[in-house]
Amino acid sequence: MAVRAAVAGASGYAGGELLRLLLAHPEVEIGALTGNSNAGQRLGALQPHLLPLADRVLGPTTPEALAGHDVVFLALPHGRSAAVAEQLGPDVLVIDMGADFRLRDAADWERFYGSPHAGTWPYGLPELPGGRAALEGSKRVAVPGCYPTAVSLALFPAYAAGLAEPEAVIVAASGTSGAGRTPKPHLLGSEVMGSMSPYGVGGVHRHTPEMIQNLSAAAGERVSVSFTPTLAPMSRGILATCSAKARGGVTAASLRETYEKAFADEPFVHLLPEGQWPATASVHGSNAVQVQVAHDEAAGRIIAISAIDNLAKGTAGGAVQSMNIALGLPEELGLPTIGVAP
Amino acid sequence: MAVRAAVAGASGYAGGELLRLLLAHPEVEIGALTGNSNAGQRLGALQPHLLPLADRVLGPTTPEALAGHDVVFLALPHGRSAAVAEQLGPDVLVIDMGADFRLRDAADWERFYGSPHAGTWPYGLPELPGGRAALEGSKRVAVPGCYPTAVSLALFPAYAAGLAEPEAVIVAASGTSGAGRTPKPHLLGSEVMGSMSPYGVGGVHRHTPEMIQNLSAAAGERVSVSFTPTLAPMSRGILATCSAKARGGVTAASLRETYEKAFADEPFVHLLPEGQWPATASVHGSNAVQVQVAHDEAAGRIIAISAIDNLAKGTAGGAVQSMNIALGLPEELGLPTIGVAP
Amino acid sequence: MAVRAAVAGASGYAGGELLRLLLAHPEVEIGALTGNSNAGQRLGALQPHLLPLADRVLGPTTPEALAGHDVVFLALPHGRSAAVAEQLGPDVLVIDMGADFRLRDAADWERFYGSPHAGTWPYGLPELPGGRAALEGSKRVAVPGCYPTAVSLALFPAYAAGLAEPEAVIVAASGTSGAGRTPKPHLLGSEVMGSMSPYGVGGVHRHTPEMIQNLSAAAGERVSVSFTPTLAPMSRGILATCSAKARGGVTAASLRETYEKAFADEPFVHLLPEGQWPATASVHGSNAVQVQVAHDEAAGRIIAISAIDNLAKGTAGGAVQSMNIALGLPEELGLPTIGVAP
Amino acid sequence: MAVRAAVAGASGYAGGELLRLLLAHPEVEIGALTGNSNAGQRLGALQPHLLPLADRVLGPTTPEALAGHDVVFLALPHGRSAAVAEQLGPDVLVIDMGADFRLRDAADWERFYGSPHAGTWPYGLPELPGGRAALEGSKRVAVPGCYPTAVSLALFPAYAAGLAEPEAVIVAASGTSGAGRTPKPHLLGSEVMGSMSPYGVGGVHRHTPEMIQNLSAAAGERVSVSFTPTLAPMSRGILATCSAKARGGVTAASLRETYEKAFADEPFVHLLPEGQWPATASVHGSNAVQVQVAHDEAAGRIIAISAIDNLAKGTAGGAVQSMNIALGLPEELGLPTIGVAP
């Protein structure tokens, strides 16, 4: 018996990627598709690659439209999910792809998002310590941010094993789809092609407290994060270069052993063989994560680097993975593990 | 019972894409993987995205290595397939992704490829008139070239319906993966990013006689082809802009009706709604084809435009589609129909 | 004594490129800079690469602001130039980078632009037969469209020499800056990177009548044009692939000789050596034009291909070149002839 | 009286960019052009954008070929410059664009480059404290590496003013031209487009000791450097994200004042207004440097970010700037300061 899924916010990049994945999911039947400003339009005009759904028309995001589904995915602007979720029954699995329910600290939420805190839901990153247990059978899931997904997977093993000082320095490059589909001058192809530029520098990016939350939980102590995001001339992909000072006694061998153990049973996270480094092309369009780690003895630092597809594992793939766990389906069901490369 | 498939030439782009698709094919078990200069290497070093096969080691392309499979895919340099195919029994399905067995005219072959003609196999473009019948039960398949796939699908309906004069003018843009993986200066990222350039201008590109063969067969008369390929700053994708003078009586409505009929039952070819045009991003990584057609009354020409992924529908996807038909499997089995966009 | 130049419409791509060129022009002093919706803003916020002008503030486009200059460049939306030009005296050199004064046929104008025809000014493509003479001493210049620049330079020699049948088929790829700086969904980096797509297919692109005008003038008879523009994943550059049936007696040698003669004395147009083809990277940021021509005997067609930078030779460079001629300055003054490659 | 300049290694990207700049330099006359494997070839075949030099033929790199010039630029593989330089007289200005004479510490050289140390020449980064004085009248110049140029300009003000702890963490993204023109599989357009990937991770990149040398000199104490280079999908440009712990008492205001003072009189380095961040597109093809700095109070770190064109300011532009100073010419002569954007 198929899982009937609704998608609120089907016209954006996250919604489109989710539909691409759900169309290939053997247990999912796609139900209502809603939008706001795009309600009334054919999906084919908005998402020309989703040919099997081309003639579906977006409805408005109302409780009526979303009723009668087993799963409702929310791909809404920040701050809008709570109102919609409240009107869905407690037995419906609600998966929020926005930020609203990710943070445990209300003050962090208010400082970075500027609105009242709506609460905290089980966090959809099963690879974190205790992550799967929190999702099994849950009826509410907060899908992680794309940068926190990449960064947390790169660094949590070092922190969980006590190998790193609690001051992480992170520089990440993201494809432009991470900035969404609303047209803005600095996101024009003419501006981004051939150019790298930073944004949200100096601790102001909204994903910073989420990284601190995840790494601190792994470390068992407060970890500070210096995070610099950069915009790269590509549509998709995040490459996160993360480092922290190594604690005494860390060696390249102990570091590698720690990471091997952390990811040994993970279906989507691949610690690359020594000498090979992550590339976003390798995970393009898939739920796979590539990780590699090095010990810079001269500088006394651990360097952990991960590559994900920001729209797949970083958003829609992570959402489907969490849905599978929450519903008791096989975790990998319907999720591509091989990137479209070259 | 699974279909056991060997891939000769697993280190190139065509071989890599084929393996990506075969890994997702529910009826295929991947057997021998061979290479020539790369024999002895781990596949993980050559195709870092194919993580499930990372530890497979390429063997040499020998009859022994390829024996014992139901299907053997040949992704070899031009001119090498015949010698390998001869040593495979008549009951093995051999699918040649090279050019060796595409052309019916030996003189054409010799003029464009400069070596003796090896023969002609059933042609793996099922969408052409009579195309499926030629493949059903066949033990040999010649996979079409990437440009001829895009061009033939764009123009054959017009020719089959007698709407166009037999002089086609074609300009196509291809992603760089179509030029293969052998490092050459003009294929460096530094050269191709930010640049469009033509090559093989003036009727000398090897895919020209294959287009002439397909369009002439559809038209029932000799069609001349002026073909200009261009290299575009993208990894994948072909956009083929094809035109011919309209014959008397052609109207926009009759043209559209002809194309609607031609593709009505095709699982992979999508005639777009009026006003929407093909984009290679929409078919990236998929076996889908987008087609649109227009009638330029002032210039008296039919303009038909198609978008494919050169490595998928243009090579490896076309190969799997043909395999499915030849083996009596559902034609769409294991083939993605939705592009990875944006 | 410096030429004092004002730029109306300094916030767009054409205006920005013009200012880049004027800053390097030894005889020009940059005067008023105006904008409409951006009036009141620092230029540094709008054109971050124009560092020497970063602190200049855009004024409104008024007669007062533009008064007192030797040259006024208009980089305005279509249909706005006439009203501004009227208020500038007859002794001021007015160079319109928009379409308003390019077409001689009022009906063509009205059909393609949908507004009353404002008139016809001397046409700023000096390489055309008689082109320089029309500009010398002129006080009004209509800068050609970017596509017509590329196409006319590729094909006029064949038409002027009577070598080609009067039915041209043109497919051109343009960088996204040609579509301007107003944010639109289909121009987002996420959409255009990795994708080729056509637009304005079937004879509806506004540059079509301008090409017909130029080629017909060269041919001495009406030339029909089938024009298909495509959007390429690059910021700048146009590659125009142009063809027409060869008239009887045309040979590769006669064709080459014709083109050699046509461009022998041209400072910016380079007929490439045989075997070498134009690439947009080679002319990136420069006023140079690369042209090559071939004779496809089998198809009976002449193929002429040109590469320009759409913002430089295709707009702002062409404007400065015309200014130089109109003012009696050396034609090449201040204009880069070498592309920024790779 | 013109400065006569020879270029040894004219076929690579550094040599090509140098020639582009020298062609626009009003005091330079281009003399001998040499290559090694490319000796005997037309420059037009190797550098198709350098149209004015298209018919020049590369000679072999011999003392005879290089004799009789005022300036000799060496754009040779690492380790080759010393032998050539020895044969040039002490009165010839020799500008080495390779690494051979950059490092003061012979042990560093040998550890990172694996060959005997050839010596140390005056270092061509005039913006560093004392940098100009070292170059005035010098007959030997070691042009800095591209990454050290970007990193040193971003961080030296903080270190010179004692604001930062001596442990720098740097992540830089480079365009692919920084990896040179020798064809290698991982540099193919198909591989790099749409992908970000790191390389030389963990303190092994050869530019690391050069950064340490520059930052330590500015700080007056040994500065450790953790450097991670990444390859970005663009032809040109370096974006360097550099950070270090802030020393007690640092404020955003003191930081900004320090940087304003450091660059107040610099012709090429632009400290951007607050709120604006560097973008490589803004300096594309120019000798300009964009710098911005922030104080992340929560993480206790200074973040300094710079953007350069790796081939221009990072190599050939820096070489010309140093030549101007060494010869007593105006420092900015012939050097573009405005990037080709968009």
Side-chain angles (χ1 to χ4, degrees):
Chain A
M1 202 193 68
V3 173
R4 198 166 153 78
V7 178
S11 62
Y13 288 146
E17 180 71 352
L18 179 65
L19 288 171
R20 184 179 74 87
L21 296 175
L22 293 181
L23 278 164
H25 194 292
E27 298 291 331
V28 170
E29 179 190 313
I30 296 175
L33 307 181
T34 74
N36 266 335
S37 53
N38 297 301
Q41 293 193 46
R42 286 178 66 250
L43 194 67
L46 300 163
Q47 308 273 18
H49 61 305
L50 298 176
L51 293 163
L53 300 171
D55 293 327
R56 297 283 295 269
V57 173
L58 294 195
T61 304
T62 60
E64 293 71 31
L66 300 177
H69 295 83
D70 304 302
V71 188
V72 175
F73 291 92
L74 305 179
L76 304 173
H78 297 316
R80 304 276 179 83
S81 297
V84 176
E86 266 169 29
Q87 304 194 311
L88 299 166
D91 295 338
V92 179
L93 173 54
V94 184
I95 298 182
D96 184 26
M97 298 162 75
D100 298 24
F101 299 97
R102 292 173 191 160
L103 295 183
R104 287 196 279 269
D105 187 303
D108 271 352
W109 172 268
E110 282 158 25
R111 188 162 61 253
F112 279 88
Y113 291 88
S115 62
H117 189 222
T120 313
W121 287 358
Y123 190 71
L125 198 53
E127 293 86 355
L128 291 183
R132 267 182 195 86
L135 295 170
E136 285 162 7
S138 173
K139 289 299 183 187
R140 293 292 185 270
V141 175
V143 177
C146 51
Y147 286 123
T149 295
V151 167
S152 303
L153 293 174
L155 277 182
F156 90 81
Y159 279 115
L163 305 183
E165 296 289 343
E167 297 180 325
V169 178
I170 294 150
V171 179
S174 174
T176 53
S177 61
R181 198 168 193 170
T182 305
K184 294 174 189 166
H186 75 287
L187 298 176
L188 284 172
S190 303
E191 304 287 328
V192 298
M193 287 187 283
S195 196
M196 292 282 309
S197 59
Y199 65 101
V201 184
V204 302
H205 193 281
R206 289 170 163 182
H207 285 176
T208 309
E210 193 180 339
M211 295 177 197
I212 292 173
Q213 176 174 295
N214 292 349
L215 299 180
S216 298
E221 64 179 318
R222 168 86 183 180
V223 175
S224 79
V225 166
S226 163
F227 173 53
T228 307
T230 65
L231 201 61
M234 56 190 191
S235 291
R236 291 179 174 229
I238 286 178
L239 184 81
T241 302
C242 313
S243 74
K245 287 183 84 160
R247 280 194 163 143
V250 168
T251 63
S254 67
L255 193 59
R256 183 146 193 99
E257 194 184 3
T258 298
Y259 274 71
E260 277 172 352
K261 207 177 297 175
F263 297 129
D265 299 323
E266 287 302 333
F268 294 113
V269 186
H270 299 265
L271 181 67
L272 294 174
E274 294 187 61
Q276 199 175 336
W277 290 90
T280 63
S282 290
V283 298
H284 187 93
S286 87
N287 207 50
V289 182
Q290 291 192 331
V291 174
Q292 184 56 288
V293 66
H295 181 216
D296 181 339
E297 275 189 71
R301 294 185 78 86
I302 294 166
I303 323 288
I305 303 185
S306 63
I308 64 166
D309 181 318
N310 59 303
L311 290 181
K313 175 62 177 168
T315 306
V320 172
Q321 186 183 355
S322 293
M323 176 197 79
N324 285 342
I325 296 172
L327 294 177
L329 297 170
E331 187 171 335
E332 301 169 69
L333 203 64
L335 285 167
T337 56
I338 303 175
V340 178
Chain B
M1 202 191 66
V3 172
R4 199 166 153 78
V7 178
S11 61
Y13 288 146
E17 180 70 352
L18 179 65
L19 288 170
R20 183 177 77 86
L21 297 176
L22 293 181
L23 278 163
H25 195 292
E27 297 292 330
V28 170
E29 179 191 314
I30 295 175
L33 306 181
T34 75
N36 266 334
S37 52
N38 296 302
Q41 293 192 46
R42 286 177 67 251
L43 193 67
L46 299 164
Q47 308 273 20
H49 62 304
L50 297 176
L51 292 162
L53 299 172
D55 292 327
R56 296 284 294 269
V57 173
L58 294 195
T61 304
T62 61
E64 293 73 30
L66 300 178
H69 295 83
D70 303 303
V71 188
V72 175
F73 291 93
L74 305 180
L76 304 173
H78 297 318
R80 303 276 179 83
S81 297
V84 176
E86 265 169 29
Q87 304 196 314
L88 300 166
D91 295 339
V92 179
L93 172 55
V94 184
I95 297 181
D96 185 25
M97 298 161 76
D100 298 25
F101 298 96
R102 292 173 191 160
L103 296 184
R104 286 197 279 268
D105 185 303
D108 272 351
W109 171 268
E110 282 157 26
R111 187 163 62 254
F112 279 89
Y113 290 88
S115 60
H117 190 223
T120 312
W121 287 358
Y123 190 71
L125 198 52
E127 293 87 355
L128 290 184
R132 268 182 194 88
L135 294 169
E136 285 162 8
S138 173
K139 289 299 182 187
R140 295 291 184 271
V141 175
V143 178
C146 50
Y147 285 122
T149 295
V151 167
S152 303
L153 293 174
L155 277 183
F156 90 81
Y159 279 115
L163 306 183
E165 296 288 342
E167 298 181 323
V169 177
I170 294 151
V171 179
S174 172
T176 54
S177 61
R181 200 171 191 168
T182 305
K184 294 174 190 165
H186 76 285
L187 297 176
L188 284 172
S190 303
E191 304 287 327
V192 297
M193 287 187 283
S195 196
M196 291 283 309
S197 59
Y199 66 101
V201 184
V204 302
H205 192 282
R206 289 171 163 181
H207 285 176
T208 309
E210 193 180 340
M211 296 176 196
I212 293 173
Q213 176 175 292
N214 293 349
L215 299 180
S216 299
E221 64 178 320
R222 170 88 182 179
V223 175
S224 80
V225 166
S226 162
F227 173 52
T228 307
T230 66
L231 201 62
M234 57 190 191
S235 292
R236 292 179 174 228
I238 287 178
L239 184 80
T241 303
C242 313
S243 73
K245 286 183 84 159
R247 283 196 163 143
V250 168
T251 64
S254 67
L255 193 59
R256 183 148 193 98
E257 194 185 1
T258 298
Y259 274 72
E260 278 172 352
K261 206 178 298 175
F263 298 130
D265 298 324
E266 286 302 333
F268 294 113
V269 187
H270 301 264
L271 181 68
L272 295 174
E274 293 186 62
Q276 200 176 333
W277 290 90
T280 64
S282 290
V283 297
H284 187 94
S286 87
N287 208 51
V289 182
Q290 291 192 333
V291 174
Q292 184 55 288
V293 67
H295 182 216
D296 181 339
E297 273 188 73
R301 295 185 76 86
I302 295 166
I303 323 286
I305 303 186
S306 63
I308 64 166
D309 181 318
N310 59 304
L311 291 181
K313 175 61 178 169
T315 307
V320 172
Q321 186 182 354
S322 292
M323 177 196 77
N324 285 343
I325 296 172
L327 294 177
L329 297 169
E331 187 172 335
E332 301 170 69
L333 203 66
L335 285 168
T337 55
I338 304 173
V340 179
Chain C
M1 201 191 67
V3 173
R4 199 165 153 78
V7 178
S11 62
Y13 288 146
E17 180 70 353
L18 179 65
L19 288 170
R20 184 179 75 86
L21 297 175
L22 293 180
L23 278 163
H25 194 292
E27 296 293 329
V28 170
E29 180 192 313
I30 295 174
L33 306 182
T34 75
N36 267 335
S37 53
N38 297 300
Q41 293 192 47
R42 288 177 65 252
L43 194 66
L46 300 164
Q47 309 274 17
H49 62 303
L50 297 177
L51 293 161
L53 299 171
D55 293 328
R56 297 283 294 269
V57 173
L58 293 195
T61 305
T62 61
E64 294 72 30
L66 300 177
H69 296 84
D70 304 302
V71 188
V72 175
F73 291 93
L74 304 180
L76 304 173
H78 296 317
R80 304 277 180 83
S81 296
V84 177
E86 266 170 28
Q87 304 195 314
L88 300 166
D91 295 339
V92 179
L93 173 54
V94 184
I95 298 182
D96 185 25
M97 298 162 75
D100 298 24
F101 300 97
R102 292 173 191 160
L103 295 184
R104 285 196 281 267
D105 186 303
D108 272 350
W109 172 268
E110 283 158 25
R111 187 162 61 252
F112 280 89
Y113 291 89
S115 62
H117 190 223
T120 312
W121 287 358
Y123 190 71
L125 197 53
E127 293 86 356
L128 290 183
R132 268 182 194 85
L135 295 169
E136 285 161 9
S138 172
K139 290 299 183 186
R140 293 292 184 271
V141 175
V143 177
C146 51
Y147 286 121
T149 296
V151 167
S152 303
L153 292 175
L155 277 182
F156 89 81
Y159 280 115
L163 306 183
E165 297 288 343
E167 297 180 322
V169 177
I170 294 151
V171 179
S174 173
T176 54
S177 61
R181 197 170 194 168
T182 304
K184 295 174 190 164
H186 75 286
L187 297 176
L188 284 172
S190 302
E191 304 287 327
V192 297
M193 288 186 284
S195 198
M196 292 283 308
S197 59
Y199 65 102
V201 184
V204 302
H205 192 282
R206 288 171 164 181
H207 286 176
T208 309
E210 193 180 339
M211 296 176 196
I212 293 173
Q213 177 174 292
N214 292 348
L215 298 181
S216 299
E221 63 179 320
R222 170 86 182 180
V223 175
S224 79
V225 166
S226 162
F227 173 53
T228 307
T230 66
L231 201 61
M234 57 189 192
S235 291
R236 291 179 175 227
I238 287 177
L239 184 80
T241 301
C242 314
S243 73
K245 287 183 85 161
R247 283 197 162 140
V250 168
T251 63
S254 68
L255 193 59
R256 183 148 193 96
E257 194 185 1
T258 298
Y259 274 72
E260 277 172 353
K261 208 178 295 175
F263 298 129
D265 299 324
E266 287 303 332
F268 294 113
V269 187
H270 300 265
L271 180 68
L272 295 174
E274 294 186 60
Q276 200 176 333
W277 290 89
T280 63
S282 290
V283 298
H284 187 94
S286 87
N287 208 50
V289 182
Q290 291 192 332
V291 174
Q292 184 57 289
V293 68
H295 181 216
D296 181 339
E297 273 188 72
R301 293 185 79 87
I302 294 167
I303 324 288
I305 304 186
S306 63
I308 65 166
D309 182 318
N310 59 305
L311 291 181
K313 175 60 177 169
T315 307
V320 172
Q321 185 183 356
S322 293
M323 175 196 79
N324 286 342
I325 296 172
L327 294 177
L329 297 169
E331 187 172 334
E332 301 170 68
L333 203 65
L335 284 169
T337 57
I338 303 174
V340 178
Chain D
M1 202 192 67
V3 173
R4 198 167 153 77
V7 178
S11 61
Y13 288 145
E17 180 70 351
L18 179 64
L19 288 170
R20 184 178 75 88
L21 297 175
L22 293 181
L23 278 164
H25 194 292
E27 296 292 330
V28 169
E29 178 191 315
I30 295 175
L33 306 181
T34 75
N36 266 334
S37 52
N38 297 302
Q41 293 191 48
R42 287 177 66 249
L43 194 66
L46 300 163
Q47 309 273 17
H49 61 305
L50 298 176
L51 291 162
L53 299 171
D55 293 327
R56 297 283 295 269
V57 173
L58 294 195
T61 304
T62 61
E64 294 71 30
L66 301 176
H69 295 84
D70 304 303
V71 188
V72 175
F73 291 93
L74 304 179
L76 304 173
H78 296 318
R80 304 276 179 83
S81 296
V84 176
E86 265 169 28
Q87 303 194 314
L88 300 166
D91 294 339
V92 179
L93 172 55
V94 184
I95 297 182
D96 185 26
M97 297 162 76
D100 298 24
F101 299 98
R102 292 173 190 160
L103 296 183
R104 287 197 280 268
D105 186 304
D108 271 351
W109 172 268
E110 283 158 25
R111 187 162 61 253
F112 280 87
Y113 290 89
S115 62
H117 190 223
T120 313
W121 287 357
Y123 190 72
L125 197 53
E127 292 87 354
L128 291 182
R132 267 182 195 85
L135 295 170
E136 286 163 7
S138 173
K139 289 300 183 185
R140 294 292 183 272
V141 174
V143 177
C146 51
Y147 285 122
T149 295
V151 167
S152 302
L153 293 175
L155 277 181
F156 90 82
Y159 279 116
L163 305 183
E165 296 290 342
E167 297 180 325
V169 177
I170 294 150
V171 179
S174 173
T176 53
S177 61
R181 199 170 193 168
T182 305
K184 294 174 189 164
H186 75 287
L187 297 176
L188 284 172
S190 302
E191 304 287 327
V192 299
M193 287 186 285
S195 197
M196 292 282 310
S197 59
Y199 65 102
V201 184
V204 302
H205 192 282
R206 288 170 164 182
H207 285 176
T208 309
E210 193 180 339
M211 296 177 195
I212 292 173
Q213 177 174 293
N214 292 349
L215 299 181
S216 299
E221 63 179 318
R222 169 85 183 183
V223 175
S224 80
V225 166
S226 163
F227 172 53
T228 306
T230 65
L231 201 62
M234 57 189 191
S235 292
R236 292 178 174 229
I238 286 177
L239 184 81
T241 302
C242 313
S243 74
K245 287 183 84 160
R247 281 194 163 143
V250 167
T251 63
S254 68
L255 193 58
R256 182 146 194 100
E257 194 184 3
T258 298
Y259 273 73
E260 278 173 352
K261 208 178 296 175
F263 298 129
D265 299 324
E266 287 302 333
F268 294 112
V269 187
H270 300 265
L271 182 67
L272 294 174
E274 294 186 62
Q276 198 176 337
W277 290 90
T280 63
S282 290
V283 298
H284 188 93
S286 87
N287 207 50
V289 183
Q290 290 192 331
V291 175
Q292 184 56 290
V293 67
H295 182 217
D296 181 340
E297 274 189 73
R301 296 185 77 86
I302 295 166
I303 323 286
I305 303 186
S306 63
I308 64 167
D309 182 318
N310 60 303
L311 291 181
K313 176 60 178 171
T315 307
V320 172
Q321 186 183 355
S322 293
M323 176 196 79
N324 285 343
I325 297 172
L327 295 177
L329 297 169
E331 187 172 333
E332 301 169 69
L333 203 65
L335 285 167
T337 57
I338 304 173
V340 178

